Amino acid sequence: MSFGDPNNPYGQQPQAPQGPYGQQPPVPQQGQPGYGYPQQAPQQQPYGYPQQQAVPPQQQAYGGYPQQAAAPYGQPGPGMGMPMGYASWGARLGAFLLDGLIIAAVPIILYIIGGIMVGSAASTTPDTSSCPPGDVQCISDAYNTAAESATPVGAIIVMGLAWLLMIGGTFFLIAKEGASGQTPGKKVMGVKVIKETTGQPLGFGMTFVRYLCRYLNGLLCGLGWLWPLWDDKSQTWADKLAGTVVVSVK
């Protein structure tokens, strides 16, 4: 018996409202139970069954397009693969010749100057006009003086400078290719050296190793340099050893 509700003094259960004659009574909406009624606990799977986890809704970027999941660290993401198309053999040859001209132009000029200096000194003949006939010692001294002047110090310095410029130019190309995949010659020809597995430049260390492997291309009459003509990936032997490909970026 309830005394708290003045509309139901005898504690009777409330009846559902009846619809008009001949119609079904309205079905009460299944909402949350009112205040004072027991709450229904969420249904759980029995012990031993895998629990179902809520799937988070897929985030959408501005404009309604779904965002793609980020790729793992160190791997290219979707749509970030290597440039399409391997570089042709002619483009690679053109880049090689341009790079060689850039680093060798000045050293070649210095080598020519040094050679001229050595040649002019070697043409010096010993002066034996002041030696009396039969004076073997005087004639020997004249020949020794001519031999010493045939190896001028200036020519050695010029050729040494040319060699240092050549070595410095080679390391310049290695640094440029390792950082961006392109030397000045490769940039003009629109080609790029990348790692086959990642599509990224090699870095200085691996580029230096690749340059060392290039000496193997000269074996068997330069067969390694011609290998890209029929290779599926247009790789030289050095590319295969270093795991690199040369692609077109035009």
Side-chain angles (χ1 to χ4, degrees), residues 4-83:
D5 189 0
N7 297 325
N8 189 12
Y10 298 100
Q12 298 179 356
Q13 296 293 332
Q15 297 180 359
Q18 297 182 359
Y21 179 76
Q23 296 183 3
Q24 296 293 333
V27 180
Q29 297 181 358
Q30 298 293 333
Q32 295 182 354
Y35 178 77
Y37 287 86
Q39 302 288 335
Q40 295 183 356
Q43 187 176 2
Q44 297 182 354
Q45 295 288 344
Y47 179 77
Y49 286 86
Q51 301 292 330
Q52 295 182 358
Q53 298 180 356
V55 180
Q58 185 177 9
Q59 297 181 356
Q60 293 186 353
Y62 179 77
Y65 294 95
Q67 293 181 350
Q68 296 179 347
Y73 179 76
Q75 299 182 6
M80 297 175 60
M82 293 182 293

Side-chain angles (χ1 to χ4, degrees), residues 165-201:
L165 289 176
M166 185 76 72
I167 296 298
T170 302
F171 277 96
F172 167 76
L173 295 180
I174 293 175
K176 292 291 288 183
E177 184 174 313
S180 63
Q182 289 183 305
T183 58
K186 289 181 174 63
K187 196 167 186 178
V188 172
M189 299 303 299
V191 298
K192 185 177 183 180
V193 180
I194 56 177
K195 190 73 174 176
E196 185 178 6
T197 55
T198 62
Q200 301 297 323

Side-chain angles (χ1 to χ4, degrees), residues 115-195:
I116 294 174
M117 295 173 64
V118 171
S120 62
S123 62
T124 303
T125 57
D127 186 10
T128 59
S129 59
S130 61
C131 297
D135 191 349
V136 179
Q137 184 64 36
C138 181
I139 296 174
S140 177
D141 291 340
Y143 274 94
N144 290 335
T145 302
E148 291 176 359
S149 63
T151 54
V153 179
I156 297 176
I157 294 176
V158 170
M159 290 185 176
L161 180 60
W163 182 81
L164 291 176
L165 289 176
M166 185 76 72
I167 296 298
T170 302
F171 277 96
F172 167 76
L173 295 180
I174 293 175
K176 292 291 288 183
E177 184 174 313
S180 63
Q182 289 183 305
T183 58
K186 289 181 174 63
K187 196 167 186 178
V188 172
M189 299 303 299
V191 298
K192 185 177 183 180
V193 180
I194 56 177
K195 190 73 174 176

Side-chain angles (χ1 to χ4, degrees), residues 98-115 157-169:
L98 287 175
D99 289 333
L101 181 62
I102 291 173
I103 67 172
V106 175
I108 287 176
I109 295 174
L110 293 178
Y111 274 121
I112 293 175
I113 294 175
I157 294 176
V158 170
M159 290 185 176
L161 180 60
W163 182 81
L164 291 176
L165 289 176
M166 185 76 72
I167 296 298

